Structures are given as structure tokens and as C-alpha cells.
Amino acid sequence: MSVKVYLYPLSIRVWHWTNAILCLLLILTGVSMQYSNPEYPFMRFDLAVSMHNISGILLTISYAWFIVANIVTGNNKYYALKIKGLKDRLMKQFRYYTVGLFTGQKSPFPINEKRKFNPLQKFSYVLIMFLVIPILFITGWALLFPEIILTEVFGISGIQITALLHMIMGFFVSVFMLVHIYFSTMGTTASSNFKAMFNGWHK
């Protein structure tokens, strides 16, 4: 019999879905600006730029709230990485995802009130939330105010380097979202993890 644990309070769920919507808008508008055929655009260029900028500003505010709220509430303990034995824990979780999950084995790191994420989840969240996202924001704000960007870096246009770095970080976030959605189907049922982000209860 599965046990239900209340892991996601309303504030976390609102933050999660707000981020999801803003990230999707940023990805769609970013792709539209970069790759659409000017003759057959996914959306008007000026509209894509406006939506991208507004979504980026709102996501920055949401991220700032996330940092402050995690410190104030103590939720940051779920993101603390223990370096000792990390490689072994990551490999154990990886083997579970690639073999154990499909052969009926139990999760080596079951979710509970003290452990909200398994080692692979925690490692990927830390990389995305505390490395990729900050770089994405810094480059995004720099492109919003290009006058602050260095004119040249080692003979290469500073704006080009900033734009390229911004696009690469955006790609990482896009891949993360796809992987995140896929692994979310690996709950007690294919929909249980999605339901948890609506009602707060992990099953």
C-alpha cells in the first residue's frame, strides 16, 4: 500500500506552475526569434521579443522569490549536496532508472518527508537552478541592456558571445524540461507526480 506524504505546499505549487508557463513562453518566443522563416514566422518578431522580455523579467522575479523563500523556510535543505559518495549514489539511481524501474525493483532512494529528491534529481536541480539559470539571467539582462556588454572579448563581439551563451543555456533548460516531464511519468502511476503538483500530496 502506497503512503501519501504532503511535500508540496501551495506556495511551491504556484511557483512551480508559474515557472513552467514562463519557461515555455521563453522557449517558444526564443525559438521563434531564432529560427522562424521571416516570411512565415511562428509569431510576429516584435511580439515575440516583447513576450520574451516580459517573461524573462517575471521569471527573474520568481527566481529571486525562490531563493529568499528557500532560505527563510528552510526548504534549501532539500538541495544540499553531500559530495562524499555522490558518484556512487548517482550511479545507483541511474541504474534504477535504466534497469531497475523496468524490472520491478524498488527505488533505492524513496521519496519521504526528509528526502524530496533522489540523488540524480537533486544533482540536476542544483546544476540548473544554481548554475544554468543564473547564467541565463545574466546574459538575458545583458542583452536587454547591451550597452553594458564589453565591445570585444579576445577579438570577438561581446554581444555575439553573450547571445551565444544565452542560447546555449536556454537549450540546456529546454532539454531539462523535456527530461523532467518524462521522468515525472515514473511515479506510482504515470499521472501521480503530476497530480502531486496540483494537490500537494506525493504518493
Side-chain angles (χ1 to χ4, degrees):
M1 181 179 179
S2 59
V3 178
K4 294 177 70 174
V5 183
Y6 189 72
L7 286 182
Y8 313 108
L10 181 60
S11 58
I12 293 293
R13 283 177 276 147
V14 171
W15 174 80
H16 179 273
W17 290 114
T18 299
N19 280 1
I21 293 170
L22 291 174
C23 282
L24 285 174
L25 284 173
L26 285 165
I27 291 169
L28 291 174
T29 54
V31 169
S32 179
M33 289 187 290
Q34 283 288 333
Y35 303 110
S36 289
N37 186 329
E39 297 180 5
Y40 306 100
F42 177 70
M43 65 177 67
R44 280 197 349 252
F45 186 79
D46 60 330
L47 180 61
V49 171
S50 296
M51 290 180 64
H52 196 81
N53 291 344
I54 292 170
S55 297
I57 291 170
L58 292 176
L59 191 61
T60 304
I61 295 171
S62 175
Y63 181 80
W65 180 88
F66 164 78
I67 295 297
V68 173
N70 268 270
I71 294 172
V72 171
T73 64
N75 192 62
N76 56 335
K77 65 178 179 289
Y78 292 114
Y79 296 92
L81 274 177
K82 293 182 180 179
I83 302 302
K84 185 177 180 180
L86 178 61
K87 181 181 176 181
D88 292 337
R89 294 194 299 275
L90 291 176
M91 290 305 300
K92 184 179 290 187
Q93 186 63 39
F94 179 77
R95 284 193 295 271
Y96 171 72
Y97 274 146
T98 55
V99 178
L101 185 67
F102 305 102
T103 56
Q105 297 179 25
K106 290 185 178 181
S107 171
F109 303 98
I111 304 302
N112 53 48
E113 292 179 346
K114 293 183 179 180
R115 181 173 52 227
K116 189 181 289 188
F117 310 121
N118 67 54
L120 208 51
Q121 285 177 317
K122 186 186 294 187
F123 183 72
S124 61
Y125 290 163
V126 167
L127 282 181
I128 290 293
M129 297 303 297
F130 302 109
L131 179 62
V132 173
I133 293 293
I135 295 175
L136 190 66
F137 284 158
I138 291 169
T139 54
W141 279 94
L143 291 170
L144 198 58
F145 299 98
E147 63 273 10
I148 69 175
I149 300 175
L150 294 175
T151 305
E152 286 189 1
V153 179
F154 300 115
I156 304 173
S157 167
I159 289 182
Q160 287 184 344
I161 293 176
T162 304
L164 179 61
L165 191 56
H166 187 71
M167 190 168 61
I168 291 172
M169 295 302 108
F171 172 76
F172 286 152
V173 171
S174 301
V175 171
F176 170 79
M177 285 194 67
L178 289 174
V179 174
H180 181 60
I181 292 170
Y182 171 67
F183 279 108
S184 293
T185 65
M186 297 181 179
T188 307
T189 65
S191 62
S192 62
N193 285 332
F194 296 100
K195 291 178 180 177
M197 291 313 300
F198 281 103
N199 59 32
W201 290 91
H202 178 84
K203 187 174 182 182

